[in-house]
């Protein structure tokens, strides 16, 4: 079995795509309508994708505060500087072991995003 994607229902497709491309660094692999009131977008370069769904007739639901998506960065210090330059609030960095350091930001839908650096 292979993990293919994780799906996030979004409030605004354009805003969510901007966040995941400009802040997280993903690329749009595929964006298309999926019916009269439904739009899909798949983001990412690898085998595993982030699927965004926008449904005009069903508002995005709340996201559990204990769920997060983790994205690896080359340098957490550089990522923090970029976030601060763009006015994106973030948590203080955590370093639970000598081998990893991370921080949290929120996407436009309230989903926690973890930016992590392997040390």
């Amino acid at each position: 079995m292979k993990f293919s994607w994780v799906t996030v229902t979004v409030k605004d497709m354009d805003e969510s795509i901007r966040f995941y491309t400009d802040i997280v660094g993903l690329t749009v692999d595929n964006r298309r309508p999926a019916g009269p009131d439904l739009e899909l977008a798949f983001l990412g370069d690898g085998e595993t994708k982030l699927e965004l769904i926008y449904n005009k007739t069903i508002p995005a639901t709340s996201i559990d505060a204990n769920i997060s998506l983790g994205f690896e960065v080359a340098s957490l210090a550089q990522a923090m500087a970029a976030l601060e330059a763009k006015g994106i609030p973030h948590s203080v960095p955590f370093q639970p072991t000598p081998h990893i350091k991370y921080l949290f930001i929120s996407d436009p839908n309230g989903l926690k995003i973890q930016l992590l650096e392997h040390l």
Side-chain angles (χ1 to χ4, degrees):
M1 187 177 306
K2 182 174 84 172
F3 184 62
S4 294
W5 64 75
V6 62
T7 301
V8 176
T9 302
V10 301
K11 300 173 195 169
D12 181 310
M13 183 64 84
D14 292 328
E15 179 183 34
S16 293
I17 287 176
R18 269 192 307 278
F19 174 84
Y20 283 104
T21 57
D22 296 348
I23 306 300
V24 178
L26 298 180
T27 58
V28 177
D29 179 62
N30 186 328
R31 182 178 180 178
R32 65 182 181 276
D37 295 319
L38 192 64
E39 184 178 10
L40 304 176
F42 286 88
L43 287 75
D45 293 326
E47 290 183 12
T48 306
K49 304 289 183 197
L50 174 62
E51 178 188 31
L52 304 179
I53 295 179
Y54 173 65
N55 188 329
K56 293 178 186 175
T57 61
I58 301 173
T61 59
S62 63
I63 298 171
D64 187 293
N66 294 312
I67 296 174
S68 66
L69 301 180
F71 294 93
E72 188 172 343
V73 297
S75 165
L76 196 60
Q78 289 177 352
M80 285 176 32
L83 292 171
E84 290 165 5
K86 294 177 181 180
I88 306 290
H90 60 79
S91 71
V92 297
F94 301 93
Q95 188 169 353
T97 73
H99 307 291
I100 192 167
K101 187 177 356 177
Y102 61 90
L103 59 78
F104 289 104
I105 58 177
S106 292
D107 87 347
N109 308 288
L111 178 60
K112 284 194 311 190
I113 303 298
Q114 187 179 49
L115 301 181
L116 62 107
E117 176 185 2
H118 289 284
L119 305 170

